[in-house]
Amino acid sequence: MMQSLSKVWDFLLFFESSEYVDSRYSEFHGGHANAGKLAEIASAFRQARLFHQAFQQADFIVRPLIVFYCFLAIARGLTLFLEPAKREANLAPKHGLACIGLNECLNQDTGELLELKVKIENGTFLELLRATKNMNFVRANSSAVNFHVPGHMPPPGAIIKFESLCARIPDLAVAFKKDW
């Protein structure tokens, strides 16, 4: 796992270079972005890498927060890359997910974690879904992506139960079926 994760970070390191981002951007969009936009994209990926490096030395109590900021930076960089009209200044200032029932869960002796709900609001989460068209990329009998599956685009205000979310994550589904 660590070796494949290292390969991902080695690849993402290229996106810290404005020149590399420009070449990929022009290839993807058929035109060049200005220097400011290229710097914003590169900066987001650099922030992500630095958060990942901080995670390696961080105490376990702060690691979840660092991972959150790492993925937020990647999401913002990807959104900036995919959406020509987006700039750092007009990206959503919040992540766009609200936890419903957290206080009640924490205040109960038997806190039912699976009863928590997540409400989708306008923010980075929806911006990323829109930029990627909520597309899933699949490798079927190949080392390269050769199949695309569009996902459902949830509207702002949609509510997802944590239990339902856990059941759909492959690594959690086994534990979900066994323990819950």
Side-chain angles (χ1 to χ4, degrees):
M1 167 90 170
M2 290 304 286
Q3 186 177 15
S4 63
L5 187 59
S6 177
K7 287 180 182 179
V8 170
W9 284 109
D10 288 347
F11 172 71
L12 290 178
L13 185 63
F14 286 110
F15 283 87
E16 293 182 36
S17 160
S18 293
E19 293 81 16
Y20 181 79
V21 171
D22 187 38
S23 70
R24 297 305 300 258
Y25 189 94
S26 65
E27 181 182 308
F28 187 81
H29 292 290
H32 295 277
N34 66 37
K37 177 154 176 106
L38 296 172
E40 290 172 0
I41 295 167
S43 177
F45 284 99
R46 183 164 193 260
Q47 286 175 1
R49 181 180 54 81
L50 293 174
F51 279 124
H52 176 71
Q53 286 178 346
F55 174 87
Q56 302 301 318
Q57 281 100 38
D59 188 78
F60 78 96
I61 198 75
V62 296
R63 282 183 166 197
L65 187 60
I66 294 172
V67 167
F68 166 77
Y69 281 112
C70 176
F71 280 100
L72 184 66
I74 291 172
R76 292 171 71 85
L78 184 56
T79 300
L80 287 168
F81 180 87
L82 294 173
E83 295 286 341
K86 288 284 186 184
R87 294 295 303 264
E88 182 69 35
N90 65 9
L91 286 176
K94 61 182 189 171
H95 54 69
L97 299 172
C99 190
I100 300 171
L102 180 61
N103 288 338
E104 293 81 5
C105 179
L106 294 175
N107 289 327
Q108 294 177 12
D109 291 337
T110 61
E112 289 294 327
L113 181 64
L114 296 177
E115 294 302 314
L116 291 175
K117 295 176 183 152
V118 176
K119 181 178 180 183
I120 298 173
E121 300 175 338
N122 284 316
T124 302
F125 181 72
L126 275 179
E127 285 181 336
L128 179 64
L129 290 183
R130 289 178 187 131
T132 62
K133 298 175 181 48
N134 200 14
M135 191 69 65
N136 295 292
F137 298 92
V138 181
R139 293 178 176 97
N141 295 323
S142 172
S143 61
V145 172
N146 57 4
F147 190 65
H148 304 97
V149 181
H152 168 71
M153 190 69 70
I159 295 177
I160 302 167
K161 279 186 73 175
F162 188 64
E163 177 181 25
S164 175
L165 184 63
C166 289
R168 286 171 175 75
I169 299 173
D171 290 344
L172 294 178
V174 174
F176 178 81
K177 290 176 185 173
K178 193 184 315 179
D179 298 330
W180 295 321

